[in-house]
Amino acid sequence: MKVTEHIQKAKGKTLVSFEVLPPLKGGSMQAIFKTLDALMEFKPPFIDVTYHREEFIYKKRPSGYYEKTAIRKRPGTVGICAAIMHRYGVDAVPHLICGGFTVEETENALIDLNFLGINNVLALRGDARQFEDKFIPEEEGHKYALDLVRQIAGMNHGKYLDLNIQNGEPTDFCIGVAGYPEKHFEAPNFAADLQFTKEKVEAGAGYIVTQMFFDNNKYFEYVNACRAAGIDVPIVPGLKPLTRKYQLNAIPRKFFINLPEEFVQEVQKAKDDEAVKQVGIEWCIAQSKALKAAGAPCLHYYTMGDTETVKKIAEAVA
Ligand code: FAD
């Protein structure tokens, strides 16, 4: 079933869903099953699986020169999605990015997903690679998530890249896209970012998942701004609990978001790691309860490998 159908079927009840990362290369699928076995009691109708493109690393050679090597640390997104659907009978949402893909590779990836019966996709651009100061698309690849949405929507109309394909089998993907309550860091301003998000929806996206935020007002203001701009699809809040003190700086640096003053003070007051974690969990529970009370369509938790913490939050909110 499509994510949008799950949301419609819930008739205003707030759903719960989770996002998992593929294990590091060499790791086992059991790690994912262990995470999800513990979270299935919350009956998530869908599970997202992130996509990680190859990164460059530099290895020092005996000569002193550095060798640039490309490695993919977390492959397996599509296989994990298929395994999740098979084991739990819940829908899986693979993340698909522009970075590292030519348009033809994208088309082939979508054909694989379609043949596997996976008909949800979160369409993203991806970030710049380490050691690159901006996002660089493949020569024959997409520059923006909008272009990826257009390609998927085209396939939903039976449009393939090879123009000799007449009456191509239409796919039936439900397309999700990312939204940024605190603006995407590269966008010149909030209004411009909103306009680009609107274009993704007009091109065929059926719902939006937000970047994490720690101040619910940012989400509510974002939803209002989207509605005022004519974006009428469901907007799913993305939530991540802060669990370590260093994240007070690491989260804003990595995700370009602000942490509310009251929250920062609470974390700074905490005496040890355990106390910080407790503050983070309680904050996320309070956020979740308020979002649920306000009728958010779904609470989407970024697990980032920390099942125990996310489980405590989901239990308190259920
Ligand atoms: P876009 O929508 O393409 O926007 C990128 C920037 O370009 C924005 O500043 C936007 O304002 C601007 N822009 C958009 N269209 C235009 C246009 N036509 N002209 C000029 N400017 C334009 N990354 C991964 O690598 N793997 C993942 O699995 C992953 N999952 C994510 C899940 C969620 C819920 C979120 C919020 C992010 C995720 N990311 C992931 C990170 C994401 O790839 C980055 O945030 C990336 O920098 C932007 O992706 P996007 O799809 O929002 O890009």
Side-chain angles (χ1 to χ4, degrees):
M1 220 161 109
K2 296 176 178 176
V3 168
T4 46
E5 289 169 344
H6 284 296
I7 292 173
Q8 268 166 21
K9 206 175 131 208
K11 294 197 173 99
K13 191 172 158 264
T14 303
L15 302 170
V16 173
S17 64
F18 304 103
E19 177 189 285
V20 294
L21 275 68
L24 285 167
K25 192 180 270 191
S28 150
M29 190 58 211
Q30 294 311 317
I32 298 283
F33 288 154
K34 201 170 158 220
T35 298
L36 292 178
D37 284 352
L39 297 174
M40 277 303 142
E41 64 177 278
F42 305 107
K43 302 199 172 14
F46 60 92
I47 305 284
D48 276 51
V49 184
T50 55
Y51 188 90
H52 302 258
R53 71 180 296 191
E54 64 174 21
E55 283 288 346
F56 291 128
I57 55 160
Y58 289 87
K59 281 189 188 156
K60 197 169 183 183
R61 312 262 323 253
S63 62
Y65 283 108
Y66 281 87
E67 187 180 48
K68 190 177 177 186
T69 315
I71 53 159
R72 269 194 72 200
K73 286 187 181 161
R74 292 183 187 272
T77 302
V78 176
I80 292 171
C81 285
I84 287 174
M85 288 177 63
H86 179 67
R87 182 176 169 106
Y88 301 106
V90 303
D91 286 300
V93 185
H95 292 190
L96 191 59
I97 65 171
C98 305
F101 282 82
T102 63
V103 287
E104 194 177 0
E105 285 162 347
T106 299
E107 184 175 88
N108 293 339
L110 288 162
I111 289 169
D112 278 343
L113 294 175
N114 185 39
F115 288 171
L116 283 165
I118 297 171
N119 59 0
N120 289 290
V121 175
L122 193 72
L124 302 144
R125 186 196 70 179
D127 280 316
R129 277 183 287 214
Q130 261 181 313
F131 311 116
E132 286 177 350
D133 65 352
K134 62 176 190 256
F135 173 79
I136 303 170
E138 294 301 298
E139 226 166 85
E140 304 274 326
H142 295 308
K143 195 171 174 194
Y144 296 112
L146 171 64
D147 308 315
L148 175 55
V149 173
R150 286 189 176 137
Q151 184 176 8
I152 305 169
M155 285 177 72
N156 281 350
H157 286 97
K159 204 175 135 205
Y160 290 77
L161 294 169
D162 181 349
L163 297 176
N164 292 319
I165 299 175
Q166 304 280 326
N167 303 319
E169 173 79 11
T171 55
D172 189 22
F173 287 109
C174 169
I175 311 165
V177 289
Y180 301 84
E182 297 178 64
K183 183 182 99 59
H184 185 264
F185 71 102
E186 290 169 30
N189 56 47
F190 183 80
D193 200 28
L194 203 65
Q195 180 55 32
F196 295 135
T197 304
K198 187 177 178 190
E199 286 174 20
K200 292 192 278 192
V201 172
E202 285 169 347
Y207 71 103
I208 295 169
V209 185
T210 76
Q211 181 59 280
M212 67 181 74
F213 54 89
F214 289 80
D215 176 355
N216 279 0
N217 287 328
K218 303 284 182 204
Y219 170 78
F220 296 132
E221 286 161 16
Y222 181 66
V223 173
N224 288 340
C226 284
R227 301 302 179 232
I231 300 171
D232 56 3
V233 296
I235 302 175
V236 172
L239 293 164
K240 182 196 149 33
L242 178 148
T243 53
R244 296 270 184 276
K245 211 171 242 179
Y246 77 84
Q247 291 175 319
L248 284 179
N249 304 109
I251 288 178
R253 191 172 58 234
K254 189 159 174 15
F255 299 103
F256 302 92
I257 60 167
N258 285 305
L259 301 177
E261 184 54 23
E262 187 193 337
F263 180 48
V264 173
Q265 282 176 10
E266 290 290 317
V267 174
Q268 275 167 342
K269 267 193 274 166
K271 286 195 199 78
D272 52 26
D273 283 354
E274 211 32 59
V276 170
K277 199 176 210 179
Q278 201 48 39
V279 171
I281 289 175
E282 277 162 23
W283 190 270
C284 193
I285 291 172
Q287 270 195 285
S288 304
K289 285 185 174 170
L291 289 163
K292 194 174 168 181
C298 180
L299 303 173
H300 186 67
Y301 294 104
Y302 301 120
T303 63
M304 294 186 175
D306 190 350
T307 320
E308 199 195 316
T309 300
V310 170
K311 188 174 157 103
K312 278 186 189 156
I313 294 163
E315 263 163 5
V317 178

